[in-house]
Amino acid sequence: MSASLEQAEWIWRDGEFVKWEDATIHVLSLAVQFGSSVFEGIRCYKTDNGPAIFRLDTHIKRLRKSCRTYRMELPYSDEELIAASIQAVAKNGLDECYIRPMVLRGYGAAGLNPEGSPIETLVPCWPWGTYLGPEALERGVDVCVSSWQRMHPNTYPAAAKAAGHYVNAQLIKMEAISNGYVEAVVLGPGGVVSEGSGQNLFAVVDGTLITPSVDGTSLQGITAESVMTIAADLGIPLRREVIPRESLYGADELFFTGTASEVTPIRSVDKIVIGEGKMGDVTRKIQERFLGLVRGELEDSHGWLTYVQ
């Protein structure tokens, strides 16, 4: 995995494009001081019909909900942000990339009350490959259960995708890597499975797909929701339920989902091999359908792709 971004040339900023190196903010902006910003992570895929952005409208809707939760007045309509995202990909001439719409509180307020700090809106995009490594989608990844946990519900709003929330994810990720793992599974304050550092998690048990209940400790992912729709299309049973830690070790299959992770198999947890230690049949069926849809190889029956003209 690369430790640095591969720069593009242009970033959309409050209605106009600026050069990548000019998209700066003040060091005392609230986004820097207190993590006061919300964002989305969106994939654009290369297809035979040109670049296609996956579930762009759904991501922008979630961005607006995050803004509302944090009392940030978003000065642009969903349609304007959708257009800005499409224009950013086109202006940078990218066939496939990662898009990061951001709404942040800028320079002005001196303390925790954000009144006086302007709202700034940006849409960067840049080339990005497989998040957990080039072989992860096929071979799977080795993970641990983190010593860190997710927050108690009503500590901060897990349904909002806010930058400040991710300091917890950084601790989880750094610990996993320092201990020789690629990623980690995280428990909630009740000691049951929540999610990964930045992914949702699914288990397969006796042919049934299982994912943790909505309990206020995890972000409900758009890729995860797409996987649930794909499972229904494929006739794979699905249920949400509490997943104790020990259920991870006994699962037939495990996999992560997320914009960055896509559908990534988990081959071991805490050095305990999951299933046969490779991608299972159910995971493969879901991954193949997902990648076929996002790459434009299968019919877009759910209207998930927005093509960049």
Side-chain angles (χ1 to χ4, degrees):
M1 290 178 286
S2 173
S4 60
L5 291 174
E6 182 179 345
Q7 293 186 11
E9 187 175 2
W10 299 98
I11 292 177
W12 186 93
R13 180 173 189 165
D14 285 318
E16 62 182 14
F17 282 97
V18 299
K19 298 291 285 185
W20 180 281
E21 58 271 18
D22 294 331
T24 58
I25 59 173
H26 196 280
V27 68
L28 291 178
S29 68
L30 291 197
V32 176
Q33 292 193 76
F34 305 122
S36 188
S37 69
V38 298
F39 69 97
E40 282 296 317
I42 311 172
R43 281 256 192 193
C44 178
Y45 289 89
K46 183 179 182 179
T47 78
D48 289 342
N49 295 315
I53 304 173
F54 180 62
R55 304 206 65 176
L56 175 58
D57 56 341
T58 307
H59 278 285
I60 296 302
K61 287 177 182 176
R62 188 172 66 179
L63 179 69
R64 183 170 298 280
K65 291 178 182 178
S66 297
C67 286
R68 188 177 298 126
T69 299
Y70 274 100
R71 302 176 186 268
M72 302 170 77
E73 288 292 331
L74 184 56
Y76 300 98
S77 67
D78 288 4
E79 292 72 22
E80 287 173 315
L81 292 174
I82 288 170
S85 300
I86 294 169
Q87 291 164 15
V89 175
K91 189 170 180 66
N92 282 293
L94 298 172
D95 288 328
E96 55 185 358
C97 61
Y98 186 82
I99 309 168
R100 175 63 63 78
M102 307 166 64
V103 183
L104 57 89
R105 296 190 189 274
Y107 173 77
L112 290 176
N113 182 359
E115 186 176 352
S117 287
I119 300 296
E120 301 181 27
T121 309
L122 302 95
V123 183
C125 61
W126 63 90
W128 200 11
T130 306
Y131 175 60
L132 295 177
E135 298 179 342
L137 289 178
E138 177 59 34
R139 295 183 57 190
V141 292
D142 299 309
V143 308
C144 60
V145 174
S146 180
S147 70
W148 298 97
Q149 68 178 35
R150 287 300 192 207
M151 70 296 170
H152 195 282
N154 208 37
T155 303
Y156 57 75
K161 193 173 178 70
H165 299 183
Y166 282 79
V167 292
N168 173 252
Q170 286 181 317
L171 289 169
I172 293 160
K173 184 74 171 180
M174 289 187 293
E175 178 189 60
I177 291 172
S178 69
N179 289 330
Y181 299 96
V182 173
E183 190 49 83
V185 175
V186 195
L187 308 181
V192 296
V193 173
S194 176
E195 57 180 349
S197 69
Q199 310 90 349
N200 294 117
L201 181 135
F202 288 83
V204 179
V205 179
D206 295 330
T208 295
L209 201 58
I210 303 171
T211 196
S213 306
V214 178
D215 63 358
T217 69
S218 62
L219 180 71
Q220 298 306 299
I222 291 168
T223 305
E225 190 264 327
S226 304
V227 162
M228 288 186 263
T229 299
I230 288 170
D233 291 344
L234 295 173
I236 299 170
L238 167 74
R239 65 176 184 262
R240 283 188 177 273
E241 66 182 34
V242 172
I243 301 180
R245 174 177 179 168
E246 59 268 25
S247 293
L248 297 171
Y249 308 128
D252 300 320
E253 305 174 34
L254 294 172
F255 61 90
F256 283 133
T257 65
T259 295
S261 302
E262 299 170 296
V263 179
T264 298
I266 297 171
R267 62 189 180 194
S268 73
V269 180
D270 293 334
K271 302 188 185 300
I272 297 175
V273 174
I274 304 304
E276 296 181 358
K278 61 182 181 180
M279 182 171 4
D281 292 341
V282 173
T283 304
R284 186 175 296 279
K285 288 177 183 178
I286 290 172
Q287 187 196 83
E288 288 178 348
R289 178 64 66 94
F290 175 81
L291 293 176
L293 286 167
V294 300
R295 292 169 179 170
E297 298 164 357
L298 300 175
E299 180 186 357
D300 182 19
S301 57
H302 299 290
W304 286 343
L305 300 181
T306 299
Y307 284 91
V308 176
Q309 301 298 326

